[in-house]
Amino acid sequence: MNLRRITRIALLTALSLILFVLEGFLPLPLPVPGAKLGLAAIVTLIALCTLPTRDAALMLTLRILLASAFGGGFAPMLYSLAGGAASFTAMALLKKHTQHSIIAISAAGGFLHNMAQLLAAAAVMQTSALFYYAPVLGFVGVLTGILIGITARSILQKISR
């Protein structure tokens, strides 16, 4: 791995960590406890569009592990890894094999992130009662995914100039 590649991954990881931490300070009127905007996903989308897929996946994994080390703990790390793996895999496949816009790709990622986290939480807590949240979490995931996609598209347009 060359220095330029390591530096890009490190800078994007740091930026996504900053957004993750800042988001913790935002009061959000979302209808589900624990639901977040997912601002760090902006950086994940940018990485997916500007780096090789494996580097973007590395950046995401590093962000999740570091964020968990800074104060998440094991259970949130497990949920984040499940959501991150599901959403990233889907977004990478959609980007590679379809002509969908970054907004549609982000909406799919937001939806799958929430569903994978819900599945992980239901498995850890050994209850299916959490699935009652699925419709709300699915809607929130699509909505926040659209907002994240719009933001990432705007940033990508500005940096490509």
PDB file of all heavy atoms in Angstrom, residues 132-148:
ATOM      1  N   TYR A 132     -41.323  -5.178  15.183  1.00  0.00           N
ATOM      2  CA  TYR A 132     -42.419  -4.216  15.097  1.00  0.00           C
ATOM      3  C   TYR A 132     -41.907  -2.838  14.681  1.00  0.00           C
ATOM      4  O   TYR A 132     -42.654  -2.026  14.155  1.00  0.00           O
ATOM      5  CB  TYR A 132     -43.170  -4.108  16.432  1.00  0.00           C
ATOM      6  CG  TYR A 132     -43.994  -5.331  16.739  1.00  0.00           C
ATOM      7  CD1 TYR A 132     -43.649  -6.181  17.781  1.00  0.00           C
ATOM      8  CD2 TYR A 132     -45.114  -5.646  15.965  1.00  0.00           C
ATOM      9  CE1 TYR A 132     -44.392  -7.310  18.062  1.00  0.00           C
ATOM     10  CE2 TYR A 132     -45.866  -6.775  16.231  1.00  0.00           C
ATOM     11  CZ  TYR A 132     -45.510  -7.603  17.280  1.00  0.00           C
ATOM     12  OH  TYR A 132     -46.252  -8.722  17.538  1.00  0.00           O
ATOM     13  N   TYR A 133     -40.606  -2.594  14.925  1.00  0.00           N
ATOM     14  CA  TYR A 133     -40.000  -1.328  14.532  1.00  0.00           C
ATOM     15  C   TYR A 133     -39.604  -1.302  13.052  1.00  0.00           C
ATOM     16  O   TYR A 133     -39.220  -0.253  12.535  1.00  0.00           O
ATOM     17  CB  TYR A 133     -38.733  -1.052  15.353  1.00  0.00           C
ATOM     18  CG  TYR A 133     -38.984  -0.624  16.766  1.00  0.00           C
ATOM     19  CD1 TYR A 133     -38.491  -1.363  17.836  1.00  0.00           C
ATOM     20  CD2 TYR A 133     -39.692   0.534  17.046  1.00  0.00           C
ATOM     21  CE1 TYR A 133     -38.705  -0.972  19.138  1.00  0.00           C
ATOM     22  CE2 TYR A 133     -39.915   0.935  18.342  1.00  0.00           C
ATOM     23  CZ  TYR A 133     -39.414   0.178  19.394  1.00  0.00           C
ATOM     24  OH  TYR A 133     -39.628   0.579  20.676  1.00  0.00           O
ATOM     25  N   ALA A 134     -39.654  -2.440  12.378  1.00  0.00           N
ATOM     26  CA  ALA A 134     -39.162  -2.538  11.000  1.00  0.00           C
ATOM     27  C   ALA A 134     -39.780  -1.512  10.049  1.00  0.00           C
ATOM     28  O   ALA A 134     -39.044  -0.860   9.296  1.00  0.00           O
ATOM     29  CB  ALA A 134     -39.336  -3.951  10.458  1.00  0.00           C
ATOM     30  N   PRO A 135     -41.103  -1.312  10.039  1.00  0.00           N
ATOM     31  CA  PRO A 135     -41.650  -0.321   9.098  1.00  0.00           C
ATOM     32  C   PRO A 135     -41.126   1.097   9.351  1.00  0.00           C
ATOM     33  O   PRO A 135     -40.767   1.804   8.401  1.00  0.00           O
ATOM     34  CB  PRO A 135     -43.160  -0.391   9.329  1.00  0.00           C
ATOM     35  CG  PRO A 135     -43.395  -1.745   9.913  1.00  0.00           C
ATOM     36  CD  PRO A 135     -42.171  -2.049  10.726  1.00  0.00           C
ATOM     37  N   VAL A 136     -41.068   1.472  10.615  1.00  0.00           N
ATOM     38  CA  VAL A 136     -40.577   2.823  10.934  1.00  0.00           C
ATOM     39  C   VAL A 136     -39.098   2.935  10.621  1.00  0.00           C
ATOM     40  O   VAL A 136     -38.651   3.915  10.014  1.00  0.00           O
ATOM     41  CB  VAL A 136     -40.860   3.182  12.415  1.00  0.00           C
ATOM     42  CG1 VAL A 136     -40.248   4.516  12.784  1.00  0.00           C
ATOM     43  CG2 VAL A 136     -42.355   3.187  12.678  1.00  0.00           C
ATOM     44  N   LEU A 137     -38.312   1.934  11.019  1.00  0.00           N
ATOM     45  CA  LEU A 137     -36.873   1.958  10.731  1.00  0.00           C
ATOM     46  C   LEU A 137     -36.601   1.921   9.235  1.00  0.00           C
ATOM     47  O   LEU A 137     -35.670   2.574   8.756  1.00  0.00           O
ATOM     48  CB  LEU A 137     -36.172   0.787  11.416  1.00  0.00           C
ATOM     49  CG  LEU A 137     -35.924   0.930  12.905  1.00  0.00           C
ATOM     50  CD1 LEU A 137     -35.341  -0.357  13.480  1.00  0.00           C
ATOM     51  CD2 LEU A 137     -35.006   2.094  13.192  1.00  0.00           C
ATOM     52  N   GLY A 138     -37.393   1.166   8.497  1.00  0.00           N
ATOM     53  CA  GLY A 138     -37.224   1.128   7.043  1.00  0.00           C
ATOM     54  C   GLY A 138     -37.478   2.482   6.422  1.00  0.00           C
ATOM     55  O   GLY A 138     -36.692   2.959   5.597  1.00  0.00           O
ATOM     56  N   PHE A 139     -38.568   3.133   6.840  1.00  0.00           N
ATOM     57  CA  PHE A 139     -38.906   4.465   6.324  1.00  0.00           C
ATOM     58  C   PHE A 139     -37.820   5.476   6.692  1.00  0.00           C
ATOM     59  O   PHE A 139     -37.364   6.246   5.841  1.00  0.00           O
ATOM     60  CB  PHE A 139     -40.262   4.917   6.860  1.00  0.00           C
ATOM     61  CG  PHE A 139     -40.628   6.310   6.453  1.00  0.00           C
ATOM     62  CD1 PHE A 139     -41.053   6.579   5.162  1.00  0.00           C
ATOM     63  CD2 PHE A 139     -40.523   7.360   7.353  1.00  0.00           C
ATOM     64  CE1 PHE A 139     -41.377   7.867   4.767  1.00  0.00           C
ATOM     65  CE2 PHE A 139     -40.845   8.651   6.979  1.00  0.00           C
ATOM     66  CZ  PHE A 139     -41.270   8.916   5.681  1.00  0.00           C
ATOM     67  N   VAL A 140     -37.398   5.467   7.951  1.00  0.00           N
ATOM     68  CA  VAL A 140     -36.351   6.400   8.399  1.00  0.00           C
ATOM     69  C   VAL A 140     -35.053   6.143   7.642  1.00  0.00           C
ATOM     70  O   VAL A 140     -34.362   7.081   7.237  1.00  0.00           O
ATOM     71  CB  VAL A 140     -36.143   6.299   9.929  1.00  0.00           C
ATOM     72  CG1 VAL A 140     -34.896   7.043  10.377  1.00  0.00           C
ATOM     73  CG2 VAL A 140     -37.362   6.834  10.675  1.00  0.00           C
ATOM     74  N   GLY A 141     -34.723   4.872   7.403  1.00  0.00           N
ATOM     75  CA  GLY A 141     -33.505   4.540   6.661  1.00  0.00           C
ATOM     76  C   GLY A 141     -33.529   5.062   5.238  1.00  0.00           C
ATOM     77  O   GLY A 141     -32.539   5.618   4.746  1.00  0.00           O
ATOM     78  N   VAL A 142     -34.665   4.912   4.562  1.00  0.00           N
ATOM     79  CA  VAL A 142     -34.789   5.427   3.192  1.00  0.00           C
ATOM     80  C   VAL A 142     -34.717   6.950   3.190  1.00  0.00           C
ATOM     81  O   VAL A 142     -33.998   7.546   2.377  1.00  0.00           O
ATOM     82  CB  VAL A 142     -36.096   4.936   2.532  1.00  0.00           C
ATOM     83  CG1 VAL A 142     -36.352   5.647   1.210  1.00  0.00           C
ATOM     84  CG2 VAL A 142     -36.046   3.432   2.311  1.00  0.00           C
ATOM     85  N   LEU A 143     -35.437   7.585   4.103  1.00  0.00           N
ATOM     86  CA  LEU A 143     -35.454   9.048   4.162  1.00  0.00           C
ATOM     87  C   LEU A 143     -34.069   9.620   4.451  1.00  0.00           C
ATOM     88  O   LEU A 143     -33.600  10.520   3.744  1.00  0.00           O
ATOM     89  CB  LEU A 143     -36.457   9.526   5.210  1.00  0.00           C
ATOM     90  CG  LEU A 143     -36.623  11.031   5.358  1.00  0.00           C
ATOM     91  CD1 LEU A 143     -37.145  11.639   4.062  1.00  0.00           C
ATOM     92  CD2 LEU A 143     -37.575  11.348   6.512  1.00  0.00           C
ATOM     93  N   THR A 144     -33.411   9.088   5.469  1.00  0.00           N
ATOM     94  CA  THR A 144     -32.070   9.598   5.777  1.00  0.00           C
ATOM     95  C   THR A 144     -31.093   9.239   4.658  1.00  0.00           C
ATOM     96  O   THR A 144     -30.196  10.022   4.346  1.00  0.00           O
ATOM     97  CB  THR A 144     -31.558   9.076   7.132  1.00  0.00           C
ATOM     98  OG1 THR A 144     -31.547   7.646   7.125  1.00  0.00           O
ATOM     99  CG2 THR A 144     -32.402   9.587   8.282  1.00  0.00           C
ATOM    100  N   GLY A 145     -31.283   8.077   4.034  1.00  0.00           N
ATOM    101  CA  GLY A 145     -30.431   7.700   2.900  1.00  0.00           C
ATOM    102  C   GLY A 145     -30.560   8.678   1.748  1.00  0.00           C
ATOM    103  O   GLY A 145     -29.568   9.027   1.101  1.00  0.00           O
ATOM    104  N   ILE A 146     -31.773   9.139   1.492  1.00  0.00           N
ATOM    105  CA  ILE A 146     -31.987  10.139   0.438  1.00  0.00           C
ATOM    106  C   ILE A 146     -31.257  11.433   0.785  1.00  0.00           C
ATOM    107  O   ILE A 146     -30.555  12.014  -0.057  1.00  0.00           O
ATOM    108  CB  ILE A 146     -33.487  10.382   0.201  1.00  0.00           C
ATOM    109  CG1 ILE A 146     -34.119   9.153  -0.461  1.00  0.00           C
ATOM    110  CG2 ILE A 146     -33.725  11.638  -0.631  1.00  0.00           C
ATOM    111  CD1 ILE A 146     -35.638   9.163  -0.504  1.00  0.00           C
ATOM    112  N   LEU A 147     -31.395  11.881   2.029  1.00  0.00           N
ATOM    113  CA  LEU A 147     -30.727  13.121   2.452  1.00  0.00           C
ATOM    114  C   LEU A 147     -29.206  12.987   2.390  1.00  0.00           C
ATOM    115  O   LEU A 147     -28.511  13.907   1.928  1.00  0.00           O
ATOM    116  CB  LEU A 147     -31.177  13.508   3.862  1.00  0.00           C
ATOM    117  CG  LEU A 147     -32.648  13.859   4.016  1.00  0.00           C
ATOM    118  CD1 LEU A 147     -33.011  14.040   5.487  1.00  0.00           C
ATOM    119  CD2 LEU A 147     -32.989  15.102   3.213  1.00  0.00           C
ATOM    120  N   ILE A 148     -28.697  11.853   2.817  1.00  0.00           N
ATOM    121  CA  ILE A 148     -27.254  11.594   2.763  1.00  0.00           C
ATOM    122  C   ILE A 148     -26.796  11.548   1.302  1.00  0.00           C
ATOM    123  O   ILE A 148     -25.749  12.093   0.946  1.00  0.00           O
ATOM    124  CB  ILE A 148     -26.918  10.275   3.497  1.00  0.00           C
ATOM    125  CG1 ILE A 148     -27.210  10.382   4.997  1.00  0.00           C
ATOM    126  CG2 ILE A 148     -25.481   9.829   3.238  1.00  0.00           C
ATOM    127  CD1 ILE A 148     -26.445  11.433   5.747  1.00  0.00           C
TER     128      ILE A 148
END
